[in-house]
Amino acid sequence: MGTSPATSDDGQELPVIELVNVWKRFGAGSPSEVVAVSGVDLKIRPGEFITLIGPSGCGKSTLFNMIGGLEPCDDDGSILMRGRVQQDGELLGKVAFMPQKDLLFPWRTVVDNAILALEVEGVPVRQARERARAMLPDFGLAGFGDHYPHQLSGGMRQRVALMRTFLFERELILLDEPFGALDALTRAMMQRWLLDVWAEHRRTVLFITHDIDEAIFLGDRVVVMSARPGTIKCSETIDLPRPRDASIVTSPEFMAIKRRLLGAVEEESLKSFEAARADARRVGA
Amino acid sequence: MSGITRLTGRGCGSVCLPIVMILVAAALWELSPRVFKISPYYFPPLSDVLAEGWRIRTIVLDGIVRTVTETLLGFSAGALFGIACGVLFALVRPLERAVFPLFVVSQTVPVVAFGAIVIIWFGNTIFAKVVIAFYLTFFPVTVNTHAGILACDPQKVALMRSFGAGPAAIFWRLRLPSALPTIAVALRLGISLGLIGAIVGEWFGDTVGLGVMLIQAMYTEAVVRLWLIILCCGVVGAGLYGAVAFVERRLVWWRSDA
Ligand SMILES: Nc1ncnc2c1ncn2[C@@H]1O[C@H](COP(=O)(O)OP(=O)(O)OP(=O)(O)O)[C@@H](O)[C@H]1O
Ligand SMILES: [Mg+2]
């Protein structure tokens, strides 16, 4: 699993982000305490594309919020960036974070939505717009730069949000179920397109998904999270050759990996489902 | 809904139907006193009213200019003050808890009682009327600005924070623009209230203005003139409302939730 203690002495490149025993307890000490994340250890190496999969409510978004600096992790763990421990809020502005919803601003055009982070950084607007316009074709938005979000399809809105994330040039990109709301066909296209963009604008990516095919198709490594309290159950390196095309999902290698992972994922989904039912019974009683 | 859009959407669009309705109303006003033989004391026909308007056109025009000036001054001051207070209350919670109840109490004082005091304080000046228009305008603007800013999507705030944005950047780029549709609703309400404030303010004594003419016509039982002033108030009110709505549609065209 590769969770041995991090050292920079062995000559290896430092991990972009390293999570050491990260916990998140909501309402700690109260009877309604919720342990959302428990004892997560994870090392993300530069340039890696990691997909994180786990049942609904297992703490994936919470983990992301901590890596993005939006919420502190509990005191017994720590988050390191390039080997340096990050204090509360120190990670804000250091990670390109794309939340589950596109969260476009309706009063801004596509280009102006995309440059939001650049504006915050203080890049002159004209220069930022130029950079965004140059990226429009890459993101399948050529000719739509001056459109407003309500004039776009769901897939296009999602690509604008992705463009906004890519323009915020940080080493690590966090993508929280970016394609979760799309139909299967659009979704498959977006996955292939994301790999193309990733190949071109090489970054380190941590990608949340519910979909096991998506996780294997995209990732260098699939990390499976357990039902709540969320912890890392197992992780599997995907050595399918790149560039990957759509037909790879029917190859025997892909199927073999899927079969191995499916067992783990389904067991956890079942657990979280049973837990939800038990909760419902307790509330009902 | 679709029926109405089809009706108005075809041909001359949304301008035509209101004009037709206004012409119908004018025709009814003109014909019904004649057809039903209503005494002009109760309901003079439109042509008499318009003739009176033409006869005293310079006085009417002066009155309109005066009242509109008072309304616009009071409305602008009330809008700015209301937006500023709404923003402050939204950003500084203790201030809201301390001052907002006073605002509510101030609005429970009837504008007539308040008007008398304002005249005592500021005398018979245009300033007194502006203050009353202001008094009626600022409250809805404050309430809506406050609500609009607080209604800002916390996930969008989190997104801005993840970009490293500080409170100022979050306010100017997110909180304020996302509150604008809610503020705009209050401004449309405010311009109508401002006009009422200006007219009522003039009742406490003045020589020029629609409110003054209204009172004078009432005391002298000049019925035709009374109807003339009512018509003028309606036209001015619709015009001011239309102007605010027009500016709003240009500047704040997006919906507040999207
Ligand atoms: N601010 C909070 N206060 C209390 N509990 C919270 C809070 N945020 C999240 N939780 C709880 O933590 C758990 C994990 O939530 P999280 O949103 O991280 O799940 P998720 O894995 O992203 O789910 P999904 O796949 O459905 O998006 C949930 O049970 C949720 O109720
Ligand atoms: Mg989530």
Side-chain angles (χ1 to χ4, degrees):
Chain A
M1 241 173 79
T3 51
S4 58
T7 49
S8 53
D9 311 333
D10 56 6
Q12 264 193 330
E13 222 179 336
L14 282 166
V16 176
I17 277 278
E18 184 174 3
L19 308 183
V20 184
N21 190 35
V22 166
W23 288 76
K24 185 74 194 178
R25 307 165 185 89
F26 288 109
S30 76
S32 61
E33 180 185 280
V34 173
V35 183
V37 171
S38 74
V40 167
D41 294 299
L42 184 66
K43 230 194 272 188
I44 304 175
R45 286 180 288 276
E48 231 182 347
F49 195 130
I50 294 191
T51 48
L52 187 67
I53 187 167
S56 186
C58 74
K60 303 184 295 293
S61 296
T62 308
L63 195 64
F64 262 38
N65 287 340
M66 290 190 287
I67 299 176
L70 292 167
E71 281 185 58
C73 63
D74 290 348
D75 291 337
D76 37 1
S78 49
I79 301 179
L80 290 80
M81 181 175 237
R82 289 288 184 183
R84 278 199 49 230
V85 174
Q86 303 292 307
Q87 306 300 330
D88 282 7
E90 216 183 321
L91 279 160
L92 287 173
K94 290 188 183 172
V95 172
F97 176 84
M98 176 170 160
Q100 227 158 331
K101 286 197 276 173
D102 59 56
L103 301 181
L104 299 179
F105 293 4
W107 57 87
R108 284 178 168 245
T109 61
V110 164
V111 163
D112 285 355
N113 263 293
I115 63 168
L116 189 59
L118 296 180
E119 272 187 57
V120 169
E121 283 186 288
V123 177
V125 171
R126 188 190 301 199
Q127 198 184 320
R129 286 198 180 127
E130 256 165 46
R131 273 163 71 183
R133 288 200 184 279
M135 272 174 100
L136 285 173
D138 267 359
F139 284 74
L141 292 164
F144 285 91
D146 296 321
H147 283 55
Y148 285 91
H150 71 268
Q151 299 169 308
L152 305 179
S153 71
M156 292 170 91
R157 292 175 62 111
Q158 214 56 245
R159 287 200 294 266
V160 178
L162 275 162
M163 190 166 143
R164 182 180 63 194
T165 314
F166 273 81
L167 271 170
F168 185 48
E169 290 183 348
R170 294 295 180 270
E171 236 186 329
L172 179 63
I173 293 186
L174 301 180
L175 304 174
D176 193 347
E177 291 190 55
F179 309 144
L182 303 180
D183 63 275
L185 225 62
T186 315
R187 187 177 198 159
M189 278 174 37
M190 295 282 289
Q191 288 166 358
R192 269 173 280 151
W193 165 83
L194 177 64
L195 285 185
D196 288 346
V197 174
W198 178 66
E200 198 173 320
H201 308 257
R202 200 81 183 183
R203 309 279 174 79
T204 312
V205 179
L206 184 57
F207 184 108
I208 288 185
T209 175
H210 273 132
D211 179 358
I212 193 161
D213 287 309
E214 184 169 81
I216 301 170
F217 181 70
L218 294 177
D220 292 322
R221 188 147 62 100
V222 178
V223 175
V224 180
M225 263 181 98
S226 71
R228 222 180 66 212
T231 185
I232 288 177
K233 186 182 169 79
C234 60
S235 86
E236 169 129 7
T237 304
I238 313 294
D239 38 24
L240 299 172
R242 291 187 192 267
R244 296 171 186 170
D245 69 38
S247 62
I248 207 166
V249 297
T250 51
S251 70
E253 297 87 347
F254 190 98
M255 296 308 258
I257 297 169
K258 185 173 172 181
R259 211 171 295 120
R260 276 201 300 279
L261 284 173
L262 209 53
V265 172
E266 285 201 325
E267 184 187 335
E268 293 310 318
S269 299
L270 199 65
K271 255 194 242 165
S272 88
F273 181 67
E274 295 281 308
R277 278 199 3 195
D279 279 349
R281 262 201 303 276
R282 201 166 35 209
V283 170
Chain B
M1 166 73 194
S2 68
I4 291 170
T5 12
R6 217 176 302 131
L7 255 178
T8 58
R10 196 173 294 157
C12 49
S14 59
V15 185
C16 242
L17 196 64
I19 288 178
V20 169
M21 290 312 292
I22 288 170
L23 289 178
V24 168
L28 281 176
W29 188 347
E30 178 60 31
L31 293 177
S32 56
R34 298 182 197 281
V35 172
F36 300 111
K37 307 237 173 330
I38 303 172
S39 154
Y41 181 77
Y42 291 111
F43 192 38
L46 179 61
S47 53
D48 290 6
V49 174
L50 291 180
E52 168 78 358
W54 181 250
R55 207 172 56 75
I56 57 165
R57 57 187 177 279
T58 45
I59 308 178
V60 171
L61 219 60
D62 282 352
I64 290 178
V65 168
R66 176 65 178 266
T67 304
V68 167
T69 309
E70 293 161 0
T71 306
L72 288 180
L73 288 176
F75 167 75
S76 314
L80 289 178
F81 181 73
I83 291 173
C85 287
V87 167
L88 272 178
F89 289 170
L91 298 184
V92 190
R93 293 306 297 273
L95 200 65
E96 184 218 332
R97 270 193 294 271
V99 182
F100 191 68
L102 289 179
F103 274 44
V104 176
V105 169
S106 83
Q107 294 297 305
T108 60
V109 178
V111 68
V112 175
F114 190 71
I117 291 168
V118 168
I119 297 295
I120 291 172
W121 282 354
F122 299 104
N124 235 331
T125 57
I126 187 171
F127 192 58
K129 287 90 192 169
V130 171
V131 167
I132 295 174
F134 164 87
Y135 168 79
L136 286 185
T137 308
F138 82 88
F139 186 69
V141 179
T142 305
V143 170
N144 271 30
T145 305
H146 179 240
I149 286 182
L150 288 187
C152 182
D153 183 353
Q155 290 182 290
K156 285 184 181 162
V157 176
L159 178 74
M160 289 293 282
R161 291 211 306 133
S162 84
F163 293 146
I170 293 177
F171 176 77
W172 289 111
R173 294 187 203 282
L174 174 60
R175 284 192 198 275
L176 189 62
S178 68
L180 284 182
T182 327
I183 297 175
V185 171
L187 292 183
R188 265 186 285 150
L189 186 66
I191 192 77
S192 307
L193 289 171
L195 179 61
I196 293 174
I199 289 172
V200 170
E202 290 171 2
W203 289 356
F204 293 94
D206 207 331
T207 49
V208 200
L210 289 177
V212 179
M213 297 175 78
L214 205 63
I215 288 284
Q216 285 172 348
M218 198 178 83
Y219 285 146
T220 58
E221 293 202 7
V223 176
V224 175
R225 187 172 294 193
L226 204 54
W227 282 98
L228 173 67
I229 305 305
I230 291 173
L231 183 64
C232 288
C233 289
V235 170
V236 167
L240 288 174
Y241 183 91
V244 171
F246 176 79
V247 172
E248 177 201 322
R249 257 204 307 281
R250 279 294 160 89
L251 298 180
V252 189
W253 43 267
W254 65 91
R255 288 161 307 158
S256 58
D257 59 327

